[in-house]
Amino acid sequence: MSADHQCYGVPLERYQLSRADHRGQQEAVDVAAWVAEQIAKAPRMSDEQLETILEMLREPRPPVEKMTWRVRLYCGHIREVARPRSWLRPYQGTSGKETCGDCGLDPALIVAFEPLEADSNQGKPA
């Protein structure tokens, strides 16, 4: 683990939600609802468009070395997530939202986190 990987709100089990956490969670919920609304209004893709997108997703991508993080979600549940090792925080390249596998909260904001061991085998072809 690099000394550059950040942590926040440790120990995760005792982290207390802040007003910013409550605002961030509400904003995440509002954005998710807006996106779902826009998707529902969007015209259906043609079979050709869908095939083009699927083809792009099938293209092989280079493996990425992963880092495991322990995160506390807005709902209070703690889980481990894997992210690219180059990220200094577990939500650096994302919005910082997860779906909680325990209670189903979706989106669930990441409110606290700590880096764990890097796993150099993750992301590599089997």
Side-chain angles (χ1 to χ4, degrees):
M1 175 174 46
S2 166
D4 293 336
H5 288 101
Q6 300 171 2
C7 64
Y8 176 79
V10 177
L12 302 182
E13 293 79 8
R14 292 198 315 241
Y15 180 79
Q16 297 293 310
L17 293 173
S18 68
R19 288 193 316 214
D21 294 331
H22 292 296
R23 277 192 313 269
Q25 178 65 26
Q26 186 58 54
E27 184 178 298
V29 168
D30 293 345
V31 167
W34 181 85
V35 168
E37 223 175 88
Q38 300 311 306
I39 290 171
K41 289 193 259 181
R44 185 187 179 289
M45 277 192 255
S46 70
D47 290 341
E48 294 80 23
Q49 291 170 318
L50 184 58
E51 186 55 42
T52 299
I53 291 171
L54 291 173
E55 194 60 39
M56 289 175 9
L57 293 173
R58 286 186 201 114
E59 290 180 18
R61 293 186 291 180
V64 174
E65 187 176 348
K66 298 282 183 154
M67 174 87 179
T68 303
W69 295 81
R70 197 165 165 255
V71 300
R72 181 181 175 124
L73 302 176
Y74 178 82
C75 56
H77 292 112
I78 296 172
R79 62 187 294 211
E80 290 184 6
V81 297
R83 299 291 192 263
R85 185 166 171 71
S86 61
W87 292 7
L88 301 181
R89 294 173 304 282
Y91 53 80
Q92 183 168 320
T94 66
S95 60
K97 296 177 282 203
E98 294 285 320
T99 298
C100 181
D102 294 324
C103 70
L105 183 62
D106 181 21
L109 197 67
I110 295 173
V111 295
F113 52 90
E114 62 185 339
L116 298 175
E117 298 287 325
D119 183 351
S120 59
N121 292 325
Q122 291 182 358
K124 293 188 177 177

